[in-house]
Amino acid sequence: QLAEQLRQQKLQAQQEAEAKRQQQLAADQAAQLAAQKAAAAKQKQLQQQQAEKQKQQQLADQQKQQQLKEQQQEQQKQAEADAQKKADVQKAAKAKAQADAAAQAKKLDVERRTRLAQMQGSAGGEGSTGNGLAKSGTGSGSGGTATSPGYADKVRRVVRPNISWGGETEGLETVISVRCSPTGTLLDAQISRSSGNSAWDDAALRAVQRSNPMPQDVDGKTPTSFKITLRPAG
């Protein structure tokens, strides 16, 4: 009977130990499950926070890109406005320059026609070639160097072949002052009145310079100073 009693006590102790072990195992499993749930919740929270951070960053990037786009559009708009303003200023300046040039050309034409009328009145008519000769005063006296009536034709026959000109002809007239030695040697030739066309002026001056020596007058001497009026149209 004592042995049975001891066996029962031992069995009861074993059962209690097993029950206690099962309770501890259940507690450990519950703690492990709770820890897993806590870790999962924390991971989910971190993921949500990261997603929200990315969302905020994307929103900030979009706002920055929009601001940059608006800034570029504003700069483009300002550049176009500046370019248009510059073009308007240049257009106005060009129109003014053209108007000034036209007014100056008209003024020069009036002056040229006035001087031509004065020269024709004082120096006589010109030949059919459109080139003429006028005397020019050379000292303090009023008479100047006189030329014979036929001397202009002599000068034309010498100068005319030396004219090389392929440009426009209408309205061009250049007056060149000439100084010569009594033997006809050309001492100096200068443009005393421009036609307004520098290319024709140069061509006329070169023609005179190539006509050295100048012809002698009926007295056997070349006038020491005179003016030659040249036109390209003959």
Side-chain angles (χ1 to χ4, degrees), residues 9-218:
Q9 290 177 351
K10 183 178 180 180
L11 179 60
Q12 183 178 359
Q14 289 176 347
Q15 291 176 346
E16 290 176 354
E18 179 63 20
K20 187 176 181 180
R21 189 182 68 81
Q22 291 295 330
Q23 289 178 353
Q24 184 63 42
L25 180 61
D28 291 343
Q29 290 177 345
Q32 184 178 6
L33 181 60
Q36 290 176 349
K37 288 182 178 181
K42 185 176 181 180
Q43 180 66 24
K44 183 177 181 180
Q45 183 180 12
L46 289 175
Q47 291 176 347
Q48 290 176 344
Q49 290 176 349
Q50 186 175 5
E52 181 65 22
K53 184 177 180 180
Q54 290 177 348
K55 182 179 179 181
Q56 293 297 328
Q57 183 63 42
Q58 289 176 352
L59 181 61
D61 292 341
Q62 290 176 354
Q63 291 176 345
K64 185 176 180 180
Q65 290 176 356
Q66 181 64 26
Q67 291 176 351
L68 180 60
K69 182 179 179 180
E70 292 175 355
Q71 183 179 4
Q72 291 175 343
Q73 290 176 344
E74 184 64 25
Q75 290 176 347
Q76 179 67 22
K77 184 178 179 181
Q78 184 63 40
E80 291 175 354
D82 292 342
Q84 183 62 44
K85 183 177 180 180
K86 183 178 180 181
D88 292 341
V89 171
Q90 291 177 342
K91 183 178 180 180
K94 183 178 180 180
K96 184 178 183 301
Q98 290 176 342
D100 291 344
Q104 182 65 18
K106 184 176 181 180
K107 179 181 178 182
L108 291 175
D109 184 63
V110 171
E111 293 176 352
R112 180 183 66 82
R113 293 179 183 275
T114 301
R115 286 194 296 267
L116 178 60
Q118 292 173 349
M119 290 177 61
Q120 289 176 340
S122 61
E126 299 179 357
S128 60
T129 60
N131 301 307
L133 184 69
K135 67 180 181 179
S136 171
T138 58
S140 59
S142 60
T145 303
T147 61
S148 66
Y151 187 68
D153 289 334
K154 289 184 178 182
V155 173
R156 278 197 297 272
R157 287 194 295 269
V158 172
V159 176
R160 191 69 188 173
N162 293 322
I163 295 177
S164 177
W165 178 249
E168 60 178 296
T169 60
E170 185 176 357
L172 298 181
E173 181 180 87
T174 302
V175 178
I176 299 176
S177 296
V178 178
R179 289 194 307 108
C180 296
S181 70
T183 60
T185 301
L186 185 64
L187 301 177
D188 184 48
Q190 296 182 359
I191 297 173
S192 62
R193 180 165 58 82
S194 171
S195 66
N197 185 317
S198 60
W200 161 246
D201 290 343
D202 291 341
L205 182 60
R206 284 195 300 270
V208 173
Q209 292 170 340
R210 292 169 182 164
S211 303
N212 187 27
M214 285 291 176
Q216 295 178 346
D217 206 348
V218 292

